[in-house]
Amino acid sequence: MASVSRKDRTKFRNQVLKPLLDAGWLEMTIPDKPTSSKQKYRLTDKGRQLLAESGEDDG
């Protein structure tokens, strides 16, 4: 959230995370518990491909 200058968790989830999840670019590490305090997100293969095509892949 800090890297994109967001402070409101709900807005961040709805405006940033949800569209990326819906597009298939991100996935939850614990999909059965979306509100878990241990929830994290990772790039999917589709997300990695998008980054590689845009030249922003840092890996």
Side-chain angles (χ1 to χ4, degrees):
M1 283 178 41
S3 65
V4 290
S5 302
R6 299 287 182 131
K7 294 181 181 177
D8 185 298
R9 289 176 189 248
T10 302
K11 284 185 179 180
F12 179 76
R13 185 174 48 250
N14 291 335
Q15 295 175 355
V16 178
L17 288 178
K18 188 173 181 335
L20 294 172
L21 289 164
D22 291 345
W25 297 340
L26 282 183
E27 64 185 2
M28 294 181 185
T29 57
I30 313 170
D32 296 337
K33 297 181 180 181
T35 59
S36 170
S37 63
K38 299 188 184 336
Q39 184 64 261
K40 295 183 181 180
Y41 301 88
R42 62 180 165 227
L43 282 174
T44 61
D45 289 337
K46 186 177 178 181
R48 281 189 213 82
Q49 181 180 359
L50 180 70
L51 280 180
E53 290 172 1
S54 70
E56 295 182 17
D57 189 6
D58 54 4

